[in-house]
Amino acid sequence: MEHVPPPAEELARLDRELAELDARRAQLLTRRAWLLAALRPTVPTAAPGWNPSGWGAPPGTPAQPWGQVPKRPSAPRGAQNVLLTLGGLLLTVAAIAFTLVSWGSMGIGGRSAVLAAVTLGALAAPAVLLRRGLAATAEALAALALVLTLLDVYAVHAVAAPDTDGLGFTALASAVLAALWTAYGLALGKLRLPLPAAVVLAQWPLLFWAWAVGAPAPVVGWALLATAVLDGAIALWGKGAGVRVTACVGGAVMGFSALMVGLALSLTAPGPLGAVAPGVLLLTASAAAVAGAWRAPKGFARTGGAVAGFAAVAAVGGVPAAALPAGWRVLAYLLCGLALTAVVRSRLPGHAARGVLAASGAVVAGALVWALPPLAAVLLGPVTVLSDVWAGTPDGFRSALGSTLPWSELAAAPVVLALVAGLLGAAYRWWPSVVRLAAPLAGPTTADAGPPAAPAAGAPGTDAPGAAGGAAPWPGWSGWTGRPGAGAGGRGRPSAATLRGVVGAGAVALGWGALLLAGALLDVPHALALAGETALVGVLLTLAVRGGGAERGATAMPVTALVASVAGAVSAGLLSLASEGASYAVFGALAALFAGAALRAGAGVPRAVFAVAAVVWGTVITGLAGRSLGLAPHEAAPLMLLVPALTVLLGARLRRNPVALPVELTGVLGALVAVGLAVSDAPFLALVLALCGVLAAGTAVRPERRPVAGYLAATLFVLATWVRLAASEVSFPEAYTLPVTVPALLVGAARRRRDPEASSWTAYGPGLAATLLPSLAVAWTDPDWLRPLLLGTAALVITLLGARHRLQALLLLGGTVLALVGLHELAPYVVQVAGALPRWLPPALAGLLLLVVGATYEQRLRDARRLKDALGRMR
């Protein structure tokens, strides 16, 4: 039971807690005052006796008596560094000027004595300065000493050995200077500049020596590689972060250069024997990268593993590639890249092995990218048929593509796609084994904030006795069994089921592309190519339909099959346009296949896509029928409305099924195509608009479509009437529109009498628009004054009636027509007045108007909102 103290005891407890809070607040305020005093010496301090040692002062900081402000350093360290840097720069400039300009005015003895004395002084001074604690000054003089040693080398070459080869002397000098500065940096360990400078100087001896002796490219590559190996050793065992970073940068540059030399030699080798020497260089680089990755930290280990993988592929693949034709060399490198996956069974450290696997994936991706251009030509090439539909059956598949690719050099493209597709398919089929093989390379997830909780004994993912299957196949995942949502701490990582789906999707896409490319490279007959592409579409549709029931997370494969089926259908349809019979056969088969897939698929996006595609293929068939009948485009437009009519009937059948709306919208697009075809002929356009209005009216019978389809039907009927009147060159449209407007307004009035809440747009909008808008269009081209006067008077009356009875349709339609008629009548006078005014006046008036509106913006905004609310309250 909960004890409730008596009121007196509870009051005493509250008083004690409030007293403690007050005391704590006083301590915090006192501490704040001391901090302000430390930061701003001019600020008066608080009461004396304050000792900050108990408030977290830095270790070793003596207690400051209250009221005493700590002294600030006389000069900031930033200013000191600037002064030292400027001084060192000035001395360096003076030394360079002395060496280059004043050198000739002294004898050999004087020259040597001056340079030797200055260099020795600059080298000795840092040791003395370091003993006195002047580290920054010592660093500045060490930099000066470095420059002086370089000047000494230049002076020695210019005076003592002027006839010596410059490259060879530079190689020897850089080696000597690197050794000297290494010893100097080790002797004065507190200096941070000498050792990185020695690393920079060590980059050049071997390279300049190779250039000096005129060594061939392989020797230059070996020199670069040896330098990179030296840099790697320094990066692993060097002293200080500056030395390691400098060695890493140098090793990366030299190693990349060595790899480029070896790769260039391997690619240009005249035969397999010629590719052996650069292959040995590349293999050595790979071994060096592996050795470095074995001891390097995580990020560097992955980079080293990737470099080792690339070098190994280039070394081993370059030998057989040199013996193969140009179109097949990529296959040799691909096989070597795939062989790198054997690293999962090696004893290589995990991060380095992941780098090797990344190199393998990059090689495979590069081979696939190489195969993409011919595949794109196969898929997009049939677009050229659109310029000459039914021109005749081409001789072969390749001639129907209209591509100028060198097909003989791309013979390996389908083999590359098929090989990768087969491996991905095998991985998809034996996914548990693949995950078990890859388990040693899986590291703990980095997304978790802390160490994972220890699992219970025998739970999946433990090594404890009784654990089913031993260790979890992939940490942070749900395991290869694909349990949905079972990821343990693997935030940000895909599930095993998702990865398996991605692998399967890759197999499907690449296998499909391989078959298409094989047909193009073999140049199969046109009919066989059409039959093959259509059959592939059927297979892909089967995969997409069956994928609808796949395990959760493994949706990549059915989605890929769906996308590939649509793309393949478009390609096959375009390819079939070469002949009339093939067009009907292919598009009919596609419509049947997609309709069947829509019937068999489960509810969701795939089913809607299948149904929409079936409607599209049916629309294309109606267009083909019009061409077969020899109809002009505008004459074939009514025929194009057959499929939209079927979509209206299908929508009425499906009702609120999720597929109904996409199918009906696709039918609307088909109707828009029909309208576009009929635009060139006004009578046919009026007919098509009227037929579209009939379809919209039929759709409006359904309650769920009535709000949109009803307005659309009325608009289409009105448009059809206007187009028909314009086509008949009627100069008095009122004779045809008024007989429609009067009964329409009477019907609207009866509707409003029965239902006072009915919208004025529904009751009076169609009737008024039927006369006002055609009359407005004619009035704008009528030079006489009578029609604008009558139309303006009628619009004024309608506007007043709308305002009087609060009818939105009458107010807006009448007001808009009245404003446009007034603008038409006043336009000539406005033009005359504008021509008579000074040119500066209109911009000035516009600016003044903007200023007024800006100054009263809030009021204008409120007025606009009130107007909007008033219109919204109207019917």
Side-chain angles (χ1 to χ4, degrees):
M1 294 180 64
E2 182 179 358
H3 173 67
V4 179
E9 181 179 352
E10 185 177 2
L11 179 61
R13 183 184 303 173
L14 290 176
D15 290 337
R16 286 195 302 271
E17 291 178 359
L18 289 174
E20 292 174 0
L21 289 176
D22 290 337
R24 178 60 177 166
R25 185 173 183 275
Q27 292 175 353
L28 293 175
L29 289 174
T30 306
R31 176 60 179 173
R32 179 179 180 275
W34 183 88
L35 291 174
L36 288 175
L39 293 174
R40 293 178 295 178
T42 58
V43 177
T45 56
W50 168 251
N51 188 342
S53 59
W55 283 89
T61 303
Q64 298 285 345
W66 190 251
Q68 179 179 354
V69 179
K71 295 183 179 180
R72 304 186 66 178
S74 58
R77 185 164 298 276
Q80 179 186 8
N81 291 337
V82 170
L83 293 175
L84 292 174
T85 303
L86 289 177
L89 288 176
L90 290 176
L91 289 175
T92 302
V93 171
I96 295 174
F98 169 76
T99 304
L100 297 180
V101 179
S102 302
W103 183 260
S105 62
M106 300 179 65
I108 185 65
R111 304 170 193 173
S112 303
V114 170
L115 272 180
V118 174
T119 304
L120 290 176
L123 290 173
V128 178
L129 294 173
L130 286 175
R131 283 196 298 269
R132 297 189 177 184
L134 302 176
T137 309
E139 290 286 354
L141 289 179
L144 175 63
L146 173 62
V147 176
L148 289 175
T149 54
L150 296 177
L151 294 176
D152 289 339
V153 170
Y154 167 76
V156 170
H157 180 265
V159 175
D163 298 329
T164 306
D165 178 58
L167 289 175
F169 184 84
T170 303
L172 178 62
S174 58
V176 172
L177 287 178
L180 289 177
W181 275 95
T182 300
Y184 185 75
L186 293 175
L188 301 177
K190 293 184 179 180
L191 293 179
R192 292 175 292 181
L193 181 63
L195 290 179
V199 173
V200 174
L201 291 171
Q203 308 301 310
W204 311 113
L206 292 178
L207 181 60
F208 281 123
W209 169 80
W211 283 352
V213 299
V219 177
V220 175
W222 282 105
L224 291 169
L225 180 59
T227 306
V229 171
L230 176 62
D231 289 329
I234 295 173
L236 289 175
W237 295 293
K239 180 182 178 181
V243 173
R244 294 192 181 97
V245 171
T246 306
C248 285
V249 174
V253 174
M254 293 298 176
F256 179 78
S257 302
L259 290 176
M260 290 299 101
V261 170
L263 181 61
L265 293 174
S266 178
L267 293 176
T268 57
L273 293 179
V276 172
V280 173
L281 172 63
L282 292 170
L283 276 180
T284 306
S286 177
V290 169
W294 205 285
R295 294 177 174 271
K298 177 174 62 175
F300 292 99
R302 291 182 180 177
T303 304
V307 171
F310 284 123
V313 169
V316 179
V319 176
L324 295 174
W328 291 90
R329 292 182 178 179
V330 66
L331 190 60
Y333 293 106
L334 175 62
L335 293 174
C336 293
L338 292 173
L340 289 180
T341 56
V343 74
V344 298
R345 306 304 298 171
S346 68
R347 300 180 62 186
L348 198 64
H351 294 295
R354 293 190 195 100
V356 175
L357 286 180
S360 173
V363 171
V364 174
L368 295 178
V369 169
W370 173 81
L372 283 182
L375 180 59
V378 172
L379 290 175
L380 303 178
V383 176
T384 58
V385 182
L386 290 174
S387 60
D388 198 4
V389 178
W390 294 353
T393 304
D395 297 333
F397 189 12
R398 204 182 297 172
S399 60
L401 300 177
S403 177
T404 58
L405 288 176
W407 294 101
S408 59
E409 298 180 6
L410 300 171
V415 180
V416 169
L417 295 178
L419 179 60
V420 180
L423 292 175
L424 291 178
Y428 179 82
R429 172 64 180 82
W430 291 285
W431 183 252
S433 300
V434 172
V435 175
R436 281 197 296 270
L437 289 174
L441 298 182
T445 176
T446 58
D448 296 329
T462 65
D463 291 326
W474 208 273
W477 288 4
S478 60
W480 53 265
T481 54
R483 298 192 311 274
R491 293 189 294 270
R493 283 186 174 179
S495 65
T498 301
L499 277 187
R500 187 181 185 186
V502 171
V503 170
V508 169
L510 296 178
W512 169 62
L515 292 175
L516 291 180
L517 267 181
L521 287 167
L522 295 176
D523 199 15
V524 298
H526 183 259
L528 182 58
L530 286 177
E533 286 205 40
T534 307
L536 282 177
V537 171
V539 173
L540 292 171
L541 287 175
T542 303
L543 289 176
V545 170
R546 291 183 177 178
E551 57 183 335
R552 182 179 176 183
T555 57
M557 188 169 69
V559 170
T560 302
L562 173 62
V563 175
S565 64
V566 174
V570 173
S571 179
L574 293 174
L575 194 64
S576 69
L577 295 177
S579 63
E580 183 176 2
S583 299
Y584 283 108
V586 170
F587 279 104
L590 292 176
L593 287 173
F594 278 88
L599 293 176
R600 294 188 58 188
V605 175
R607 187 177 186 183
V609 173
F610 297 145
V612 167
V615 173
V616 172
W617 310 142
T619 305
V620 174
I621 292 174
T622 58
L624 296 176
R627 184 179 179 87
S628 297
L629 295 174
L631 302 177
H634 63 274
E635 295 174 338
L639 186 63
M640 295 285 293
L641 294 176
L642 288 177
V643 173
L646 292 177
T647 60
V648 171
L649 297 176
L650 186 60
R653 172 79 176 179
L654 295 174
R655 288 290 178 176
R656 298 186 181 277
N657 192 294
V659 180
L661 182 59
V663 168
E664 291 178 271
L665 291 178
T666 309
V668 172
L669 293 178
L672 289 177
V673 172
V675 172
L677 292 176
V679 166
S680 60
D681 189 272
F684 271 93
L685 178 59
L687 175 61
V688 171
L689 289 174
L691 293 175
C692 291
V694 172
L695 295 178
T699 305
V701 174
R702 298 159 51 195
E704 68 273 12
R705 299 285 186 261
R706 186 172 300 156
V708 176
Y711 290 113
L712 181 61
T715 303
L716 289 172
F717 283 132
V718 173
L719 286 176
T721 303
W722 295 346
V723 173
R724 181 67 259 183
L725 294 176
S728 301
E729 298 181 355
V730 175
S731 58
F732 295 97
E734 293 82 5
Y736 299 91
T737 58
L738 283 175
V740 176
T741 296
V742 173
L745 292 177
L746 293 176
V747 171
R751 167 76 182 278
R752 287 274 300 174
R753 187 175 295 108
R754 291 194 305 268
D755 182 13
E757 298 298 324
S759 172
S760 60
W761 289 100
T762 304
Y764 306 117
L768 291 175
T771 295
L772 289 178
L773 297 183
S775 299
L776 178 63
V778 176
W780 268 69
T781 59
D782 191 355
D784 201 2
W785 59 272
L786 182 59
R787 184 188 301 275
L789 177 60
L790 296 176
L791 181 61
T793 303
L796 177 60
V797 172
I798 292 171
T799 304
L800 294 176
L801 289 174
R804 173 66 179 82
H805 298 286
R806 305 180 61 82
L807 298 176
Q808 190 181 98
L810 275 67
L811 180 63
L812 292 182
L813 280 175
T816 302
V817 172
L818 181 61
L820 292 176
V821 171
L823 178 63
H824 174 265
E825 295 303 310
L826 293 176
Y829 304 103
V830 173
V831 171
Q832 292 178 5
V833 172
L837 291 176
R839 293 182 178 272
W840 57 266
L841 189 56
L845 293 176
L848 181 62
L849 177 63
L850 291 177
L851 287 176
V852 172
V853 173
T856 60
Y857 175 75
E858 294 296 334
Q859 181 62 37
R860 302 289 79 78
L861 190 61
R862 286 192 293 270
D863 294 342
R865 287 172 179 168
R866 282 197 294 268
L867 178 60
K868 176 185 175 183
D869 295 338
L871 288 175
R873 289 192 295 269
M874 292 183 179
R875 284 292 175 183

